[in-house]
Amino acid sequence: MNKKLITFIIVCTLTLLTACQEQKETNEANEAGPLDGLFAGSELSYEEYKFIMEYIVDRAKEMEIENKELEKWVIRAIGDERLMNKRDLTKEEALEEAEYNHKYYETFMSVAKTKYNVTVTEEELDNWITKGPDQSDVPQHKAYAEALGLTLEELNHDYDRDLYEQTMVMEKLQPLLHEEYDTTDVDEVRDRFNKEVEEQMK
């Protein structure tokens, strides 16, 4: 697994931009915040990412989410909005986004398994993570782990294991979806599968 792919996976994990889920756009006005000056360049240092990630995690902790599984999705939602749109979500917005993304993930995995018979074993997943994300030297990735008080391996094999599993499942799904939709257009495949998942969420 090359470094470019690893970087792509890390960005997907931290910003919830999975291969099958389109980034939501927001038309809300951005308000000045304590991190805004750090987003001028495309490449940030480890220390800058560390400050950003600690801020994101602290924001989530301040919301006092009792359900730890949901808190993880809240952190992801806050991080997504902060990194992509440079704005902070309110608690209500973060919870709404987190609940939607969690439900989307569970529905995604269910559709993949029940309709397309696509799953990954624990051994496959561990090997994939070990050979890929565990080898990461991406500053954003390491800063994220540290902000959560985790080692890189703990982040990858435990905390973000669900998102890596989703990435692996999508890799296996791709050829089946091309056949199912009778197209080689990657964007069309993504959009149509996204619609499948959302239909099941209703």
Side-chain angles (χ1 to χ4, degrees), residues 18 20 91 93 153 191:
T18 60
C20 67
K91 181 176 180 178
E93 289 173 327
E153 289 73 21
D191 292 344

Side-chain angles (χ1 to χ4, degrees), residues 3-69:
K3 184 175 179 179
K4 184 177 180 182
L5 179 57
I6 294 173
T7 302
F8 171 75
I9 293 166
I10 302 311
V11 171
C12 284
T13 301
L14 296 179
T15 62
L16 294 176
L17 299 178
T18 60
C20 67
Q21 185 174 17
E22 296 182 47
Q23 171 62 38
K24 291 183 177 180
E25 297 181 355
T26 179
N27 294 321
E28 298 177 39
N30 293 343
E31 296 180 1
L35 304 181
D36 287 353
L38 291 176
F39 293 87
S42 58
E43 293 294 331
L44 302 179
S45 70
Y46 167 75
E47 290 302 324
E48 288 170 324
Y49 272 127
K50 181 180 176 183
F51 179 62
I52 293 168
M53 295 304 176
E54 287 177 348
Y55 175 83
I56 290 167
V57 171
D58 286 345
R59 282 272 303 161
K61 297 295 184 184
E62 288 170 2
M63 293 179 182
E64 299 181 339
I65 310 299
E66 293 184 10
N67 184 314
K68 291 303 178 184
E69 178 65 17

Side-chain angles (χ1 to χ4, degrees), residues 115-147:
K115 181 173 180 179
Y116 297 97
N117 196 31
V118 172
T119 59
V120 295
T121 66
E122 294 299 310
E123 183 178 4
E124 282 180 309
L125 183 54
D126 278 318
N127 288 338
W128 189 89
I129 293 172
T130 299
K131 292 176 182 177
D134 281 356
Q135 306 305 314
S136 171
D137 59 0
V138 178
Q140 184 177 351
H141 194 194
K142 293 185 176 182
Y144 183 43
E146 188 165 325

